[in-house]
Amino acid sequence: MAAFTLHTTAATSPSSPAGTAILLRSRSRAYPLSTVRVSCSAAAAAAGKTVVIGLAADSGCGKSTFVRRLTSVLGGGTEAEPPRGGNPESNTLVSDAATVICLDDYHSLDRPGRKARGVTALDPRASDFDLMYEQVRAIKDGRAVEKPVYNHFTGLFDPPELITPPKILVLEGLHPMYDERVRDLLDFSIYLDISNEVKFAWKVQRDMAERGQSLESIKANIEARKPDFDAYVDPQKQYADAVIEVLPTQLIPDDGEGKVPRVRLIMMEGVEHFEPVYLFDEGSTVSWIPCGRKLSCSYPGIRFAYGFATYFGHEVSVVEMDGHFDKLDELIYVETHLSNLSAKFYGEVTQQMLTHAHLPGSNNGTGFFQTILGLKIRHLYEQVVAEAERAAMTAVDAAKPILEL
Amino acid sequence: MAAFTLHTTAATSPSSPAGTAILLRSRSRAYPLSTVRVSCSAAAAAAGKTVVIGLAADSGCGKSTFVRRLTSVLGGGTEAEPPRGGNPESNTLVSDAATVICLDDYHSLDRPGRKARGVTALDPRASDFDLMYEQVRAIKDGRAVEKPVYNHFTGLFDPPELITPPKILVLEGLHPMYDERVRDLLDFSIYLDISNEVKFAWKVQRDMAERGQSLESIKANIEARKPDFDAYVDPQKQYADAVIEVLPTQLIPDDGEGKVPRVRLIMMEGVEHFEPVYLFDEGSTVSWIPCGRKLSCSYPGIRFAYGFATYFGHEVSVVEMDGHFDKLDELIYVETHLSNLSAKFYGEVTQQMLTHAHLPGSNNGTGFFQTILGLKIRHLYEQVVAEAERAAMTAVDAAKPILEL
């Protein structure tokens, strides 16, 4: 994290007035003059192009875990951290390569406001998409912005923080693909699609075990969120370039525990700079139980499937993993048999999974596919940069006077 | 076939008296003095070791087609032919590398004899296993034999023919693995296991269409053969090193036609010089539908499966193909994705299949797996020879006086 410097002064960069203007035009709230500035010292980031990634999911569905894995891959092994010296309640994470902003920061209504109007955070009326669009647009154009900060503890807004254009900007939240203008700014979009059964099992595990909630209140909470979730969050998956779908296992008959997930990585075809991962034979239909003579797995084993399908009218490739990894052997064995992983060295997925062994999903398809998507996004970024560099070189060449005749 | 010369003289080779002796000891029939001699002019065959292959199946189950494919692979592209200038009713086929003898030649009872005793050809009492053993033993020891010739047209015995030790001796018939002594002489054994549904469909196709038999008589014939088949032929599959099992397709629901077969290549583990073929990942469980984005197939498509199982108490690997090939594209695509084929060049299986495109099963798993087993047998032969040569070299080295000290 040494590459990052933090300034708690009034923004002085040439781009900040524009950001402030955007902020003030869309908001009626008053902002203090002193803002937190997050700037990346890597010259390349300032000069380069910002690649924008959308990451959509319901709350409690693994966005923050995904962000940890993603920034770890993108940042070369270092983990993303909240802006140093900034607001400790900031939702932003920064690493060498990426800045992750939480779209809750674009709430147009704070918690009392939502309560007063009877609007949930899932309802787009609680978000300021104009501001979201303008600020993402500004960052993509290379300008810093003063982004609002929603404080999840108080339910109110804290002073805004300055975001300078990173190499990769990740927009994580409920609605990164809801607004068409914002959606069009995304270079790649991901939707985490957790089935109701698994979502319930996860919430029970987290909210009942860790927060002492009753089963009934968890159920009631899920039910209360469902209509808005179905209306405003879930439909975004049709716009995703990749979907991680988490379903109950099929390895254990009538499994009610939801501890063993069946995870599907759904990858849109024809996305620029994104070559779908495949198993054995690209474009065919495969099912694979790696456990056998060479690999022994504990109950209920692991089953992979690969094939293609139509997803909201798009051609997609799907890699599915049912079951969980028990040992490193299993993980590296599986990684070896997948193709188009965009890894930089043999066993990189396994190494990443081991580095984050403590994170949820490290022994199943959620962590595995999150890590793989991290590699794919890094590859996409590198290709976008290489393309921009080639375009710049071509422009320079075209501008040269023709001397050799 | 230029390498073969044919002598219609009394046998004069040093090994023929032994063969004759064996023949006379086990038979009470009178043999004419003039016999047909089939000898291979390739010096290597005479000096080398004869590898003996057993090929068991019911009649009308594709043994002769398999033999055509097998000798084609073994003989380097040339087809095996009946002994030139010999008995035109001979059941023997010879090629550069292999001699195929039909075990019907070891009938102890001719057709009238079987009829008189109420014994079918499936009944071991109709075969002379002592003679079969002694002659195969003799060939394996490098001695020529005078093998009886059963004439399938007359149902009687013709004069015997002399068989000199070939590189590879194929014993095809109803009982190559029935007698324990003969079984022990086999370097590799194959059983063609045709399910009743498919056997019926094939017999209808052949006997009704080509021979004008009624459906009832075909059914009656199959039923009549069944008890002896079940008692004496079918149990041999437990001793086979490889089984080609032909079942009704699962691609077409309630398919009654039997035109699309589901074929399983069952390969015993731990057989010397025989490495089972596998799909994608050795020792795992795979299903694969190659037809998709890269390969388009006509209805009902092709489905492969690979896995391992227990077969009569033995560990086996199984590769299964359901469906049929429609075009060369499909065949070469599938070949490319199988491993351990023992091919000598890219596309050899496909080339062989095309060479014999007119043979039954050339568009499905029967022809495909027969061809593959041909390659495996060739590989096994080469390994046996190489091993014998190494052993001979070691013996020579051991006999040398130690001069360097």
Side-chain angles (χ1 to χ4, degrees), chain B residues 119-170:
Chain B
V119 168
T120 72
L122 300 151
D123 189 319
R125 285 176 295 171
S127 285
D128 184 344
F129 288 103
D130 291 343
L131 182 66
M132 193 191 293
Y133 165 67
E134 285 157 10
Q135 294 206 333
V136 176
R137 171 83 271 167
I139 292 171
K140 217 167 171 174
D141 288 345
R143 290 177 283 135
V145 299
E146 285 180 356
K147 183 187 60 57
V149 176
Y150 175 77
N151 186 317
H152 282 94
F153 297 93
T154 62
L156 303 169
F157 291 96
D158 284 349
E161 60 188 3
L162 197 96
I163 305 288
T164 54
K167 292 180 186 171
I168 299 169
L169 176 70
V170 180

Coordinates of all heavy atoms in Angstrom, one line a residue, chain B residues 119-170:
Chain B
V119 N -26.3 -81.7 -30.3 CA -25.4 -80.8 -29.6 C -25.2 -79.6 -30.6 O -25.0 -79.8 -31.8 CB -24.0 -81.5 -29.4 CG1 -23.0 -80.5 -29.0 CG2 -24.2 -82.6 -28.3
T120 N -25.3 -78.4 -30.1 CA -25.1 -77.2 -30.9 C -23.6 -76.9 -31.0 O -22.8 -77.4 -30.2 CB -25.8 -76.0 -30.4 OG1 -25.1 -75.5 -29.2 CG2 -27.3 -76.2 -30.0
A121 N -23.3 -76.0 -31.9 CA -21.9 -75.6 -32.1 C -21.4 -74.8 -30.9 O -20.2 -74.6 -30.7 CB -21.7 -74.8 -33.4
L122 N -22.4 -74.3 -30.1 CA -22.1 -73.5 -28.9 C -21.6 -74.3 -27.8 O -21.0 -73.9 -26.8 CB -23.3 -72.7 -28.5 CG -23.9 -71.7 -29.5 CD1 -25.4 -71.5 -29.4 CD2 -23.1 -70.4 -29.4
D123 N -22.0 -75.6 -27.8 CA -21.7 -76.5 -26.8 C -20.3 -77.0 -26.8 O -19.8 -77.4 -27.9 CB -22.7 -77.8 -26.9 CG -22.6 -78.7 -25.7 OD1 -21.5 -78.9 -25.2 OD2 -23.7 -79.2 -25.3
P124 N -19.5 -76.9 -25.8 CA -18.1 -77.2 -25.8 C -17.9 -78.7 -26.2 O -16.8 -79.0 -26.7 CB -17.6 -77.0 -24.4 CG -18.7 -76.1 -23.7 CD -19.9 -76.4 -24.5
R125 N -18.9 -79.5 -26.1 CA -18.7 -80.9 -26.5 C -18.5 -81.0 -28.0 O -18.1 -82.0 -28.5 CB -19.9 -81.7 -26.0 CG -19.9 -82.0 -24.5 CD -21.2 -82.7 -24.1 NE -22.4 -81.9 -24.3 CZ -23.6 -82.3 -24.2 NH1 -23.9 -83.6 -23.9 NH2 -24.7 -81.5 -24.3
A126 N -18.9 -80.0 -28.7 CA -18.7 -80.0 -30.2 C -17.3 -79.5 -30.6 O -17.0 -79.4 -31.7 CB -19.8 -79.1 -30.8
S127 N -16.5 -79.1 -29.6 CA -15.1 -78.6 -29.9 C -14.1 -79.5 -29.3 O -14.3 -80.1 -28.2 CB -15.0 -77.2 -29.4 OG -15.6 -76.3 -30.2
D128 N -12.9 -79.6 -29.9 CA -11.8 -80.4 -29.4 C -10.8 -79.4 -28.8 O -9.9 -78.9 -29.5 CB -11.2 -81.1 -30.6 CG -10.0 -82.1 -30.2 OD1 -9.6 -81.9 -29.0 OD2 -9.7 -82.9 -30.9
F129 N -10.9 -79.2 -27.5 CA -10.1 -78.2 -26.8 C -8.7 -78.7 -26.6 O -7.7 -77.9 -26.5 CB -10.7 -77.7 -25.5 CG -11.9 -76.9 -25.7 CD1 -13.2 -77.4 -25.5 CD2 -11.7 -75.5 -26.1 CE1 -14.3 -76.5 -25.7 CE2 -12.8 -74.7 -26.3 CZ -14.1 -75.2 -26.1
D130 N -8.5 -80.0 -26.6 CA -7.2 -80.6 -26.4 C -6.3 -80.3 -27.7 O -5.2 -79.8 -27.5 CB -7.3 -82.2 -26.3 CG -7.9 -82.6 -25.0 OD1 -7.9 -81.7 -24.1 OD2 -8.3 -83.7 -24.9
L131 N -6.9 -80.5 -28.8 CA -6.2 -80.2 -30.1 C -6.0 -78.7 -30.2 O -4.9 -78.2 -30.6 CB -7.0 -80.7 -31.3 CG -6.3 -80.4 -32.6 CD1 -5.0 -81.2 -32.7 CD2 -7.3 -80.8 -33.8
M132 N -7.0 -77.9 -29.8 CA -6.9 -76.4 -29.9 C -5.7 -76.0 -29.1 O -4.8 -75.2 -29.5 CB -8.2 -75.8 -29.4 CG -8.3 -74.3 -29.7 SD -9.7 -73.6 -28.8 CE -11.1 -74.3 -29.5
Y133 N -5.6 -76.5 -27.8 CA -4.6 -76.1 -26.9 C -3.2 -76.5 -27.5 O -2.2 -75.7 -27.5 CB -4.8 -76.7 -25.5 CG -3.5 -76.7 -24.7 CD1 -3.0 -75.5 -24.3 CD2 -2.8 -77.9 -24.4 CE1 -1.8 -75.4 -23.5 CE2 -1.7 -77.8 -23.6 CZ -1.2 -76.6 -23.2 OH 0.0 -76.5 -22.5
E134 N -3.1 -77.8 -27.9 CA -1.8 -78.3 -28.4 C -1.3 -77.5 -29.6 O -0.1 -77.3 -29.7 CB -2.0 -79.8 -28.6 CG -2.0 -80.6 -27.4 CD -2.7 -82.0 -27.5 OE1 -2.9 -82.4 -28.7 OE2 -3.0 -82.6 -26.5
Q135 N -2.2 -77.2 -30.5 CA -1.8 -76.5 -31.7 C -1.4 -75.1 -31.4 O -0.4 -74.6 -32.0 CB -2.8 -76.6 -32.8 CG -3.0 -78.1 -33.3 CD -3.5 -78.2 -34.7 OE1 -4.2 -77.3 -35.2 NE2 -3.2 -79.3 -35.3
V136 N -2.2 -74.4 -30.6 CA -1.8 -73.0 -30.2 C -0.5 -73.0 -29.5 O 0.4 -72.2 -29.7 CB -3.0 -72.3 -29.5 CG1 -2.5 -70.9 -29.0 CG2 -4.2 -72.3 -30.3
R137 N -0.4 -73.9 -28.6 CA 0.9 -74.1 -27.8 C 2.1 -74.3 -28.8 O 3.1 -73.6 -28.7 CB 0.7 -75.3 -26.9 CG 2.0 -75.8 -26.1 CD 2.3 -75.0 -24.9 NE 3.1 -73.9 -25.2 CZ 3.3 -72.9 -24.3 NH1 2.8 -72.8 -23.2 NH2 4.1 -71.9 -24.7
A138 N 1.9 -75.2 -29.8 CA 2.9 -75.4 -30.8 C 3.3 -74.2 -31.5 O 4.5 -73.9 -31.7 CB 2.5 -76.5 -31.7
I139 N 2.3 -73.5 -32.0 CA 2.6 -72.2 -32.8 C 3.3 -71.2 -31.9 O 4.3 -70.6 -32.3 CB 1.2 -71.6 -33.3 CG1 0.6 -72.6 -34.4 CG2 1.5 -70.2 -33.9 CD1 -0.8 -72.2 -34.8
K140 N 2.9 -71.1 -30.7 CA 3.5 -70.2 -29.7 C 5.0 -70.6 -29.5 O 5.8 -69.8 -29.2 CB 2.7 -70.1 -28.4 CG 2.8 -68.7 -27.9 CD 1.8 -68.4 -26.8 CE 2.2 -67.1 -26.3 NZ 1.3 -66.5 -25.3
D141 N 5.2 -71.9 -29.6 CA 6.6 -72.4 -29.4 C 7.4 -72.3 -30.7 O 8.5 -72.8 -30.7 CB 6.6 -73.9 -28.9 CG 6.1 -74.0 -27.4 OD1 6.1 -72.9 -26.8 OD2 5.7 -75.1 -27.0
G142 N 6.8 -71.8 -31.7 CA 7.5 -71.7 -33.0 C 7.4 -72.8 -34.0 O 8.2 -72.9 -34.9
R143 N 6.5 -73.7 -33.7 CA 6.3 -74.9 -34.6 C 5.0 -74.7 -35.4 O 4.0 -74.3 -35.0 CB 6.2 -76.2 -33.7 CG 7.5 -76.5 -33.1 CD 7.4 -77.7 -32.2 NE 6.7 -77.4 -30.9 CZ 5.7 -78.1 -30.3 NH1 5.3 -79.2 -30.9 NH2 5.2 -77.7 -29.2
A144 N 5.1 -75.2 -36.7 CA 4.0 -75.2 -37.6 C 3.0 -76.3 -37.2 O 3.5 -77.3 -36.6 CB 4.4 -75.3 -39.0
V145 N 1.8 -76.2 -37.5 CA 0.8 -77.2 -37.2 C -0.1 -77.5 -38.4 O -0.2 -76.6 -39.3 CB -0.1 -76.9 -36.0 CG1 0.7 -76.7 -34.7 CG2 -1.0 -75.7 -36.3
E146 N -0.6 -78.7 -38.5 CA -1.6 -79.0 -39.5 C -3.0 -78.9 -38.9 O -3.4 -79.8 -38.2 CB -1.4 -80.4 -40.1 CG -0.2 -80.3 -41.0 CD 0.1 -81.7 -41.6 OE1 -0.5 -82.7 -41.3 OE2 1.1 -81.8 -42.4
K147 N -3.6 -77.8 -39.2 CA -4.9 -77.5 -38.5 C -6.0 -78.0 -39.4 O -6.0 -77.9 -40.6 CB -5.0 -75.9 -38.4 CG -6.3 -75.5 -37.7 CD -6.5 -74.0 -37.7 CE -6.6 -73.4 -39.1 NZ -7.6 -74.0 -39.9
P148 N -7.0 -78.6 -38.7 CA -8.2 -79.1 -39.4 C -8.9 -77.9 -40.1 O -8.7 -76.7 -39.7 CB -9.1 -79.7 -38.4 CG -8.4 -79.6 -37.1 CD -7.1 -78.9 -37.3
V149 N -9.7 -78.2 -41.1 CA -10.5 -77.1 -41.8 C -12.0 -77.6 -41.8 O -12.3 -78.6 -42.3 CB -10.0 -76.9 -43.2 CG1 -10.9 -75.9 -43.9 CG2 -8.6 -76.4 -43.2
Y150 N -12.8 -76.8 -41.0 CA -14.2 -77.1 -41.0 C -14.9 -76.3 -42.2 O -14.7 -75.1 -42.3 CB -14.8 -76.7 -39.7 CG -16.4 -76.8 -39.6 CD1 -16.9 -78.1 -39.5 CD2 -17.2 -75.7 -39.7 CE1 -18.3 -78.3 -39.5 CE2 -18.6 -75.9 -39.7 CZ -19.1 -77.2 -39.6 OH -20.5 -77.3 -39.5
N151 N -15.6 -77.0 -43.0 CA -16.2 -76.3 -44.2 C -17.6 -75.9 -43.8 O -18.5 -76.7 -43.6 CB -16.2 -77.3 -45.4 CG -16.7 -76.6 -46.6 OD1 -17.7 -75.9 -46.6 ND2 -16.1 -77.0 -47.7
H152 N -17.8 -74.6 -43.7 CA -19.1 -74.0 -43.3 C -20.2 -74.3 -44.3 O -21.4 -74.2 -43.9 CB -19.0 -72.5 -43.0 CG -18.3 -72.2 -41.7 ND1 -16.9 -72.0 -41.5 CD2 -18.8 -72.2 -40.4 CE1 -16.6 -71.8 -40.3 NE2 -17.8 -71.9 -39.5
F153 N -19.8 -74.5 -45.6 CA -20.8 -74.8 -46.6 C -21.3 -76.2 -46.5 O -22.5 -76.4 -46.5 CB -20.3 -74.4 -47.9 CG -20.0 -72.9 -48.0 CD1 -18.7 -72.5 -47.8 CD2 -21.0 -72.0 -48.3 CE1 -18.4 -71.1 -47.8 CE2 -20.7 -70.6 -48.4 CZ -19.4 -70.2 -48.1
T154 N -20.4 -77.1 -46.4 CA -20.8 -78.6 -46.4 C -21.1 -79.0 -45.0 O -21.8 -80.0 -44.8 CB -19.7 -79.4 -46.9 OG1 -18.5 -79.3 -46.1 CG2 -19.3 -79.0 -48.3
G155 N -20.6 -78.3 -44.0 CA -20.8 -78.8 -42.6 C -19.8 -80.0 -42.3 O -20.0 -80.6 -41.3
L156 N -18.9 -80.3 -43.2 CA -18.0 -81.4 -43.0 C -16.5 -80.9 -42.9 O -16.3 -79.7 -43.1 CB -18.1 -82.3 -44.2 CG -19.5 -82.9 -44.5 CD1 -19.5 -83.6 -45.8 CD2 -19.9 -83.9 -43.3
F157 N -15.6 -81.8 -42.7 CA -14.2 -81.4 -42.6 C -13.5 -81.5 -43.9 O -13.7 -82.5 -44.6 CB -13.5 -82.2 -41.5 CG -13.9 -81.8 -40.1 CD1 -14.9 -82.6 -39.5 CD2 -13.4 -80.7 -39.5 CE1 -15.4 -82.3 -38.2 CE2 -13.9 -80.4 -38.2 CZ -14.9 -81.1 -37.6
D158 N -12.7 -80.5 -44.3 CA -11.9 -80.5 -45.5 C -10.5 -81.0 -45.0 O -10.2 -81.0 -43.8 CB -11.9 -79.2 -46.2 CG -13.1 -78.9 -46.9 OD1 -13.9 -79.8 -47.1 OD2 -13.3 -77.7 -47.3
P159 N -9.6 -81.2 -46.0 CA -8.2 -81.5 -45.6 C -7.6 -80.4 -44.7 O -7.9 -79.3 -45.0 CB -7.5 -81.7 -46.9 CG -8.5 -81.9 -47.9 CD -9.8 -81.2 -47.4
P160 N -6.7 -80.8 -43.8 CA -6.1 -79.8 -42.9 C -5.2 -78.9 -43.7 O -4.8 -79.2 -44.8 CB -5.4 -80.6 -41.9 CG -5.2 -81.9 -42.5 CD -6.3 -82.2 -43.4
E161 N -4.9 -77.7 -43.1 CA -4.0 -76.8 -43.7 C -2.8 -76.5 -42.8 O -3.1 -76.5 -41.5 CB -4.7 -75.5 -44.2 CG -5.3 -74.7 -43.0 CD -6.2 -73.6 -43.4 OE1 -6.4 -73.3 -44.6 OE2 -6.7 -72.9 -42.5
L162 N -1.7 -76.3 -43.3 CA -0.5 -76.1 -42.4 C -0.5 -74.6 -42.0 O -0.5 -73.7 -42.9 CB 0.8 -76.5 -43.1 CG 1.9 -76.7 -42.1 CD1 2.0 -78.1 -41.7 CD2 3.2 -76.1 -42.6
I163 N -0.3 -74.4 -40.7 CA -0.2 -73.0 -40.2 C 1.2 -72.9 -39.6 O 1.5 -73.5 -38.7 CB -1.3 -72.7 -39.1 CG1 -2.7 -73.0 -39.6 CG2 -1.1 -71.3 -38.6 CD1 -3.2 -72.0 -40.7
T164 N 2.0 -71.9 -40.2 CA 3.3 -71.7 -39.6 C 3.2 -70.5 -38.7 O 2.3 -69.7 -38.8 CB 4.3 -71.3 -40.7 OG1 3.8 -70.3 -41.5 CG2 4.6 -72.5 -41.6
P165 N 4.1 -70.4 -37.7 CA 3.9 -69.4 -36.7 C 4.0 -68.0 -37.3 O 5.0 -67.6 -37.9 CB 5.1 -69.6 -35.7 CG 5.5 -71.0 -35.9 CD 5.2 -71.3 -37.4
P166 N 2.9 -67.2 -37.1 CA 2.9 -65.8 -37.6 C 3.4 -64.9 -36.5 O 3.7 -65.3 -35.4 CB 1.5 -65.5 -37.9 CG 0.7 -66.4 -36.9 CD 1.6 -67.5 -36.5
K167 N 3.6 -63.6 -36.8 CA 3.9 -62.6 -35.8 C 2.7 -62.6 -34.8 O 2.9 -62.7 -33.5 CB 4.0 -61.2 -36.4 CG 5.3 -61.1 -37.2 CD 5.3 -59.7 -37.8 CE 6.4 -59.5 -38.8 NZ 6.4 -58.2 -39.5
I168 N 1.5 -62.5 -35.3 CA 0.3 -62.4 -34.4 C -0.6 -63.5 -34.9 O -1.0 -63.6 -36.1 CB -0.3 -61.0 -34.5 CG1 0.7 -60.0 -34.0 CG2 -1.6 -61.0 -33.7 CD1 0.3 -58.5 -34.3
L169 N -1.1 -64.3 -33.9 CA -2.1 -65.3 -34.2 C -3.4 -64.9 -33.6 O -3.4 -64.7 -32.4 CB -1.6 -66.7 -33.7 CG -2.7 -67.8 -33.8 CD1 -2.8 -68.2 -35.3 CD2 -2.3 -69.0 -33.0
V170 N -4.4 -64.7 -34.4 CA -5.7 -64.4 -33.8 C -6.6 -65.6 -33.8 O -6.8 -66.2 -34.9 CB -6.4 -63.2 -34.7 CG1 -7.7 -62.9 -34.1 CG2 -5.5 -62.0 -34.7

